[in-house]
């Protein structure tokens, strides 16, 4: 029988951390788990739903997330290296002080996500939208933002929110406007 990620997480002892390399997981729901300070490397996640999962302080290296849902996931102070996210839905998540290096978000949606004080370096946002998300104090270095054949390259900036608004990638940040749409 193949180990699912849910079974692997359940086998963790209190106080231990998860370290996985070169794995594939598909069509799973990971619910109400804590895998703080974990190390995930060279893993493909396809159609995996992460709900109420605590990944605080984890390191994610060369992982691919495709058609995944992140709902109420804690990714505070996580580091993502060479990781890609494609067609992912990120809702009600906390990515405060997360760091993203050499990867991309493609066709992703951020809804009610806290990205305060996160950093992006050598990163690309392709057709990615933000709705009612906190984008304060985000640091960027050598990033590219693309939408409908329009792209902008940013060498260094601390105002990603303004750039995303100018490109109409922020759907709304006003609560009344969201409720009436």
């Amino acid at each position: 029988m193949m180990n699912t990620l849910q079974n692997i997480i359940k086998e963790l002892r209190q106080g231990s951390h998860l370290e996985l390399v070169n794995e594939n997981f598909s069509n799973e729901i990971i619910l109400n788990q804590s895998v703080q300070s974990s190390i995930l490397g060279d893993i493909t996640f396809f159609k995996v739903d992460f709900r109420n999962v605590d990944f605080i302080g984890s390191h994610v290296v060369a992982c691919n997330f495709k058609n995944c849902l992140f709902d109420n996931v804690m990714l505070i102070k996580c580091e993502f290296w060479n990781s890609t996210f494609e067609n992912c839905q990120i809702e009600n998540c906390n990515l405060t002080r997360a760091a993203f290096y050499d990867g991309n978000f493609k066709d992703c949606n951020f809804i009610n996500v806290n990205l305060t004080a996160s950093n992006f370096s050598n990163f690309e946002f392709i057709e990615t939208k933000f709705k009612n998300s906190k984008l304060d104090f985000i640091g960027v270095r050598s990033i590219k933002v693309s939408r409908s054949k329009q792209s902008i390259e940013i060498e260094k900036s601390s105002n990603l929110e303004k750039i995303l608004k100018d490109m109409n990638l922020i759907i709304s940040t006003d609560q009344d406007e969201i409720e009436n749409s």
Side-chain angles (χ1 to χ4, degrees):
M1 181 178 148
M2 191 157 120
N3 270 345
T4 65
L5 183 56
Q6 183 73 30
N7 287 339
I8 291 169
I9 292 170
K10 282 182 183 177
E11 295 298 319
L12 288 175
R13 290 190 199 106
Q14 187 72 12
S16 63
H17 74 273
L18 179 65
E19 191 166 327
L20 288 176
V21 178
N22 199 20
E23 297 280 348
N24 292 296
F25 299 101
S26 181
N27 295 311
E28 291 192 50
I29 297 174
I30 312 304
L31 180 64
N32 298 325
Q33 299 294 321
S34 178
V35 287
Q36 288 186 15
S37 303
S38 298
I39 299 169
L40 306 174
D42 197 24
I43 299 175
T44 298
F45 297 95
F46 180 71
K47 291 186 179 178
V48 175
D49 288 0
F50 298 93
R51 297 173 191 260
N52 304 317
V53 180
D54 183 348
F55 281 109
I56 292 174
S58 294
H59 296 271
V60 179
V61 181
C63 289
N64 297 307
F65 299 88
K66 188 167 186 176
N67 299 325
C68 293
L69 169 68
F70 297 84
D71 186 8
N72 197 34
V73 176
M74 300 296 280
L75 296 160
I76 297 168
K77 293 185 182 178
C78 285
E79 290 187 10
F80 295 86
W81 296 85
N82 301 310
S83 294
T84 62
F85 298 79
E86 185 175 343
N87 198 32
C88 292
Q89 188 87 356
I90 300 110
E91 298 179 23
N92 307 309
C93 295
N94 192 336
L95 283 89
T96 301
R97 296 183 61 198
F100 296 85
Y101 307 98
D102 301 307
N104 68 59
F105 285 107
K106 180 178 182 185
D107 296 316
C108 294
N109 290 305
F110 287 82
I111 302 168
N112 299 319
V113 175
N114 187 349
L115 285 154
T116 301
S118 291
N119 285 296
F120 296 89
S121 182
N122 296 317
F123 207 83
E124 189 169 7
F125 295 92
I126 307 160
E127 300 291 334
T128 293
K129 295 182 176 103
F130 299 83
K131 183 173 184 176
N132 199 31
S133 294
K134 293 182 183 176
L135 303 170
D136 301 321
F137 309 112
I138 290 179
V140 299
R141 179 169 288 136
S142 298
I143 70 162
K144 185 176 181 180
V145 179
S146 304
R147 178 175 188 254
S148 303
K149 298 182 183 177
Q150 173 191 11
S151 72
I152 186 168
E153 293 186 28
I154 305 147
E155 197 50 46
K156 189 174 181 183
S157 175
S158 59
N159 199 351
L160 180 62
E161 185 173 12
K162 181 183 179 337
I163 293 162
L164 294 171
K165 279 182 182 176
D166 290 348
M167 292 182 74
N168 292 319
L169 290 170
I170 294 181
I171 298 170
S172 179
T173 55
D174 180 72
Q175 193 61 38
D176 293 331
E177 196 174 318
I178 292 166
E179 290 170 358
N180 293 326
S181 59

